[in-house]
Every structure is written in C-alpha cells, then in structure tokens.
C-alpha cells in the first residue's frame, strides 16, 4: 500500500500534460486553468488539514508558486513546438540536473565519495537520456526552427522550476504548509503570464481538471514521504516522465520512426537510471 501511495504522484503528474493537450486551448488557457485547479484543491486541503501558515511561509510559498507558473507555461509552450514525447523527457531531465547541481553547489548535499560517484553517474545518465530522446534522423528547416524554439523555451522553463524548488528549500518551506501558498502564487503567476492573451474561455475552465491532478499528486507526495522515505518517494515521483512520454506517442498519436522510438525508449531508461542513482545519493 505504501509503495502504491508513492507511485501516485508519478501517475498524476505524468498524466497532466496528456489531459491538457487532449482538452486543448493552447498554452495560456492550459496554464491559467491548471493553476486555478491547483488553487481550488489546495484551498480545500488547507481548510481540512489546517497546517502552520506564518507570514514567511505564505510569502515564500507565493514566490515559489509564481516561479512554478513560469516553468509550467514554458513547458506548455514547448509542447506546441515539439510535442509531448520530446518536451517531457527533456524538461524533466533539465529540471533534475539543474536542481541537483544547485543542491550540490549551494546546499552541499553530496558530502561523501559514494554520493559524489552516484551523483556524477546520475547526471551523466540523465544528460545522455536527454540527448537520446531529442534524437531525429533529419529535420526539415521548419522542424529545426521549431526544435530550437522548443529547447530555448524549455531552458527558460527550467529556470522557473528551479526557482520553485530552490526558493522553498532555502527557507525550509515544504510539505503541507507550502501547498496552499504555492497554489496562490501559481494562480497569480498564471494570471500575470496570460493576461494579455485573454484566455478566459471554456478551455480554461476545462483545464482546471488537470490542475486538480497536479495538486493531488503533490498531496500524495507529502503523504508518501514519511512512509517510504524522501529518497524513494522522490525517485518514484519522477518516473511520471514515462507515462507522459509514452502517452504522447500512443495516446496523442505523435508520429515517430522506428529508430526514434528506440532512442526515446533508451533515453527514458537512462533518465530513470539517473533518477534512481540520485535517490540513492539522497539517502
């Protein structure tokens, strides 16, 4: 049962972008709808759980949530350029590498030779996985331009996700206390980012549903951590990339050659190996 609980974040998070794309509406409607859904879910959880909520926790949580909205909107935009099956493994890999390096350099997380070796292996595997999943035999000029736009967008997106994780970590704001203020920040960020594009339509309302999924995944991560440990829960939560990538290919019917499928499969395996090594290094 504990293992099943720790798998739920991956299931929920891995399904979000598939739902967003199926619903449609474009990156701005998807961003705003998702943040509103997260806020609704987190508000209910806050009213039930009543976690500690100081001024510091609220401000830090809001800033962290705004950073998340930057990251998520960039991810949605990249999907429009290069599709789910390319965006998600590249995005996940960049997030893991950036947050890990920041943790090592700033928070001094790797302190033994074992963690350093595992960490280096993990980063090498993840980078190799990113390269494999982005493989194309040949691209037309138009495809090359879209791929470049997608990657640049993901780099900016990664900075947003990095801020989301680092700001909360720096002030020790996490768990149940962070859930509601982060959702407030996500919604504020979503409104600011999408304001000029006027995404107030039925697609925004429909994209509230994936936002509920995101917040549910976050909640189950908090529930599973005390039961199976941070290392295992973290590792399993990142495996959602398998669901989103394969879902992009088989559910959203993104066209791939046989060779591309092989490289994507290899890339996913390498990223998962990297995640497992990072989980061991976190012990």
């Amino acid at each position: 049962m504990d293992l099943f609980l720790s798998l739920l974040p991956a299931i929920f998070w891995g399904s979000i972008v598939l739902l967003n794309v199926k619903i449609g509406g474009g990156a701005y409607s998807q961003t705003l709808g998702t943040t509103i859904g997260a806020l609704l879910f987190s508000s209910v959880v806050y009213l039930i759980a009543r976690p500690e909520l100081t001024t510091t926790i609220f401000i830090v949580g809001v800033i962290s949530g705004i950073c998340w909205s930057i990251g998520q909107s960039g991810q949605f935009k990249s999907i429009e350029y290069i599709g789910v099956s390319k965006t998600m493994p590249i995005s996940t890999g960049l997030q893991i590498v950036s947050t890990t390096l920041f943790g090592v350099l700033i928070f001094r997380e790797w302190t033994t030779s074992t963690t350093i070796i595992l960490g280096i292996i993990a980063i090498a595997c993840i980078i190799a996985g990113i390269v494999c999943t982005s493989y194309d035999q040949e691209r037309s000029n138009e495809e090359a331009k879209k791929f470049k736009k997608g990657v640049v967008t993901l780099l900016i997106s990664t900075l947003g996700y990095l801020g989301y994780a680092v700001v909360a970590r720096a002030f020790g704001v996490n768990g149940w206390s962070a859930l509601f203020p982060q959702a407030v920040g996500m919604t504020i960020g979503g409104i600011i980012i999408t304001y000029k594009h006027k995404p107030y339509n039925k697609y925004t309302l429909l994209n509230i549903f994936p936002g509920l999924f995101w917040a549910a995944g976050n909640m189950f991560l908090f529930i599973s951590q005390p039961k199976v440990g941070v290392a295992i829960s973290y590792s399993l939560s990142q495996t959602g990339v398998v669901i989103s990538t394969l879902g992009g290919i088989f559910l959203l019917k993104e066209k791939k050659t046989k060779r591309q499928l092989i490289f994507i499969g290899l890339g996913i395996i390498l990223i998962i190996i990297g995640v497992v090594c990072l989980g061991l290094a976190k012990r």
Side-chain angles (χ1 to χ4, degrees):
M1 185 63 182
D2 290 346
L3 186 60
F4 175 72
L5 279 174
S6 59
L7 279 170
L8 287 177
I11 294 171
F12 280 105
W13 289 343
S15 305
I16 291 170
V17 294
L18 302 178
L19 289 171
N20 287 122
V21 173
K22 272 291 185 183
I23 290 169
Y28 299 110
S29 293
Q30 290 164 350
T31 297
L32 185 59
T34 299
T35 59
I36 292 172
L39 179 61
L40 291 174
F41 188 99
S42 301
S43 298
V44 173
V45 171
Y46 173 75
L47 291 173
I48 295 172
R50 293 287 183 179
E52 179 187 15
L53 189 58
T54 64
T55 302
T56 299
I57 290 174
F58 187 80
I59 293 173
V60 171
V62 168
I63 294 172
S64 173
I66 290 173
C67 290
W68 182 91
S69 66
I70 295 170
Q72 190 63 38
S73 62
Q75 192 179 86
F76 285 144
K77 200 66 184 173
S78 176
I79 288 171
E80 293 182 354
Y81 294 132
I82 60 177
V84 172
S85 57
K86 269 196 172 66
T87 292
M88 294 313 295
I90 295 174
S91 180
T92 301
L94 289 174
Q95 289 175 57
I96 295 171
V97 170
S98 61
T99 52
T100 299
L101 290 177
F102 203 96
V104 172
L105 297 174
I106 304 301
F107 299 120
R108 307 293 181 186
E109 290 183 345
W110 296 349
T111 55
T112 67
S113 57
T114 301
T115 56
I116 291 171
I117 292 170
L118 284 171
I120 292 173
I121 292 172
I123 289 177
C125 286
I126 292 169
I127 291 173
I130 292 172
V131 172
C132 285
T133 55
S134 61
Y135 169 81
D136 262 341
Q137 289 168 280
E138 55 182 61
R139 297 188 182 97
S140 65
N141 289 335
E142 184 63 28
E143 288 173 334
K145 287 179 182 178
K146 285 185 176 181
F147 183 76
K148 184 178 179 180
K149 284 182 179 179
V151 171
V152 171
T153 303
L154 282 180
L155 290 174
I156 297 170
S157 166
T158 300
L159 292 176
Y161 283 127
L162 179 62
Y164 162 72
V166 168
V167 170
R169 168 72 189 278
F171 289 88
V173 176
N174 49 48
W176 295 102
S177 297
L179 196 63
F180 175 67
Q182 281 182 335
V184 171
M186 289 161 58
T187 306
I188 291 172
I191 292 171
I192 293 171
I193 291 168
T194 63
Y195 175 73
K196 290 184 179 180
H197 302 275
K198 296 181 171 57
Y200 308 108
N201 50 49
K202 68 174 183 178
Y203 294 109
T204 295
L205 291 175
L206 291 172
N207 275 288
I208 288 175
F209 185 60
L212 299 175
F213 262 54
W214 182 89
N218 215 21
M219 181 188 71
F220 283 117
L221 181 66
F222 298 150
I223 293 172
S224 66
Q225 282 179 344
K227 298 179 182 294
V228 300
V230 174
I232 293 176
S233 62
Y234 166 82
S235 299
L236 291 176
S237 70
Q238 298 303 311
T239 59
V241 66
V242 176
I243 297 173
S244 55
T245 303
L246 295 181
I249 295 170
F250 297 107
L251 295 180
L252 302 180
K253 308 298 182 183
E254 295 179 354
K255 293 181 180 180
K256 303 292 176 185
T257 65
K258 185 176 180 181
R259 179 169 291 192
Q260 284 177 317
L261 289 173
I262 292 171
F263 273 88
I264 287 171
L266 178 60
I268 291 173
I269 292 170
L270 287 169
I271 290 173
I272 296 302
I273 291 172
V275 168
V276 171
C277 289
L278 282 181
L280 294 173
K282 285 177 176 286
R283 285 185 181 276

